[in-house]
Amino acid sequence: MSTYVFDFAEGNKDLKDLLGGKGANLAEMTNLGLPVPPGFTITTEACRHWLRHGEEPEGLAAEVEEHLRRLEEAMGKRLGEPGDPLLVSVRSGAKFSMPGMMDTVLNVGLSDACVGGLGEQAGDERFAWDSYRRLLQMFGATVLGIDAALFAERLEQVRDKRGVSADTDLDAADLRGLVEDFKAIVKEHSGRDFPQDPREQLDLAVRAVFMSWNTERARLYRRQERIPDDLGTAVNVVAMVFGNLGGDSGTGVAFTRDPATGTQGVYGDYLPNAQGEDVVAGIRNTLPVAELERLDKGSYDELLRIMAVLERHYADLCDIEFTIERGRLWMLQTRVGKRTAAAAFRIAAQLVDEGLIDMDEALRRVTGQQLAQLMFPQFDPAAPRELIACGMAASPGAAVGKAAFDSATAIEWAAAGEQVILVRRETNPDDLGGMVAARGVLTSRGGKTSHAAVVARGMGRTCVVGVDALRVDPRQGEFTTPDGARVREGDVISIDGGTGEVFRGPVDVVASAVVDALLGGEDQPDEHAARSDVDGKPAGDEQRDVVAAVQRLMAYADSRRRMAVRANADTGSDAMRARSFGAEGIGLCRTEHMFLGARRRIVEQVILARSDEQRDAALEQLVEPQRRDFQEILEAMDGLPVTIRLLDPPLHEFLPDLTALSVKVAVAEAQGKVNPADVELLAQVQRLDEQNPMLGMRGVRLALVVPGLVLLQVRAVAEAAAELKSLGRDPRPEIMVPLVAAVQEFEIVREQAKAVIDEVAAERGVELSFPIGTMIELPRAALTGHQIAEAAEFFSFGTNDLTQTAWGFSRDDVEAAFFPRYLDAGIFGVSPFESLDVEGVGRLVSIAAWEGKETRPDLKIGVCGEHGGDPHSIHFFESISLDYVSCSPFRVPVARLEAARAVLGEGNVGSA
């Protein structure tokens, strides 16, 4: 029989799969001898059983009873006994941190029978009634599903009646009355009395935590962070220690380094006379944790000692929750702290210099997603702006958008293509949808450890919190600035998550300093350059430190990765930018754009030509422009491979619109002004019209039916290469034939292309030899890769079209039509166009790659779809030993970093 419950002394930090992150770390701190209240953890296995079967596993109740008995013995108290009750907290704790997404209930065990005894033992009647009203409030909302706003509104009414602004200003009589009000709310809205049996409270709270795993906000967070849905949460039952016992008590959250910047020191928030949820909920503005030194120097010094122990033990930034009960410090949680992208790179470099980690581990500590965040634009320092308020810088970046005062509005506007800033007094877990949709988040309450700050940092959203000078009125849809001006819903504002500043109207943005540094390309420092200051002081300008850390880690990443990284680029300027970002060639040069504008009409003439003479005359007009295009790209990538995909789009993209042309002819006929040329053109267009153009006359099929159009491209490539060779350059073009399904198709086009290349070589008197390969973008091509490899010299997987054809999806139609439903239903956790479907499409890629190499060991294999820049997909491509990935120029640094991290085979792929 499985064991479902473990005392803290029985676990350790490596048991996160079983005990969840919170339980594993509570066990670790217990084993380190740190002051942790005693308690026990109900495992994730118990949660998974409950989620599958709708009931607790056999034996769980007995195990909980046994561990509760041990806890009572350790504390010398019994749960809910009248004289001196033991109270417990019931907290969630999944393997991966999900801040604020699941439920917690404090003060479980408190009842009418023992609230008086609690007050007598504490010598503080007010404290006892405050604890009871908190239990009713949390239990009602979390366990019984009552709207939390009902409790908050009643509390606000009581404060207003007393003429006070803070909960701490209410006396014991006020709180006793509030308890009765809350019990009435429970009765009215749940149909039952608040349970007075302490064990029933515990059992219901445990069940509520299990159920919170599948709340809408938790599922949305897991999708956003790519956390599997089947992990479940552990439940931690911990003896209560109280921070709401007066001025010598309090609660706080601290970080061993600044999670926003990476600066070394003590950072965090502290609230005197409060319980833990008050800090993260942001309902009262907090004090900096450094203020604790003045309030309680003994506890402050002990906190610093423990923080140092934990950071050395975990070799990382630690996020710590603590409570002080009448001068005694207790540790309630620690975890490796979430951090901004800038802090992640800076801290990784610092820890290397401090000798706590090596460079391989430093790479594991940063992600491609974080690097992408650092490449976001910032506000232009020279741009005019109107400062209206300033708060705490919680998550960096520059965000401009319309002010939306609730999540539903933010989601609606973002879906319509608007840029949005979500403005709230404080966020709560139900605001997650709006936070995901918004470009930035602004709150008037809370600190750097509030819900808004923690979640925004994890998602990479710009965030400013604690702007207490703003009076936010969500019901009226407006906020008031210190000078009395109003900003209403829909007005544009700008927020700077690096400084905490809030501006009226839009502010111009500029590229980040990290982008400027990355565009240095090959001139990056080696891994020992740009060392950070490790004496606890900022090493000069924070931005300079971040840039130096990025350059240092990128240089090391290039030394560790196996796969090459190329870029998708169609012009010489794109190619030059990609090369500056560190691209080692072009993996996909699309030629479609070369036939747009004035050239589109010429292509139309080629397609509609009624004789070889007409077709040849039209083709002749295209040769020289094409040669210039290819020469520009090959010159920009001199000495590096350039994979040029022959013309791929369907014929209809080069022809007049059938509907418009039909209307034109019909109107002309009705008016008796028929143009014979239009009638003939309409007949031609109707003849070539296709019901499903994307699976019709395109790619290799076009090359076989209208060979001159494709062969002119081959000639243009060959002539461009010959010209550059005559100038002493080193052009390395590769010809890629698209949409091949059968080796016979490819063989015909390959022979035609080789003949053209040989002809140009003879004409120019130079040696020309280009690899000729194919794009694998159809399931049949993937499944017959062993045959195609007999003729093709390289494979490049077009994973966008391969995903469409494998799933039977039309991307342009399905993403808006039903993907949201598929995501909600868990059919897939993320769009297969965003991250490769490893089980389906990935299997096709694996089969083709493996069998292709079996046939031709020197076969070069890469990826040129959008998945080439996706971190999760890159790790899969490394696992099947592809030779390179190719992505947009801006994603090249991300791919370089993730290709190195994939070699290491560990670490977080998503956001930190």
Side-chain angles (χ1 to χ4, degrees), residues 429-443:
D430 291 329
D431 287 317
L432 182 63
M435 297 177 74
V436 171
R439 293 298 182 96
V441 179
L442 170 66
T443 71

Side-chain angles (χ1 to χ4, degrees), residues 600-601 604 608 652 654-661 681 685:
R600 185 177 181 276
R601 181 66 177 170
E604 179 184 315
L608 299 178
H652 78 280
F654 298 107
L655 298 177
D657 179 73
L658 175 59
T659 301
L661 186 58
L681 178 60
V685 172

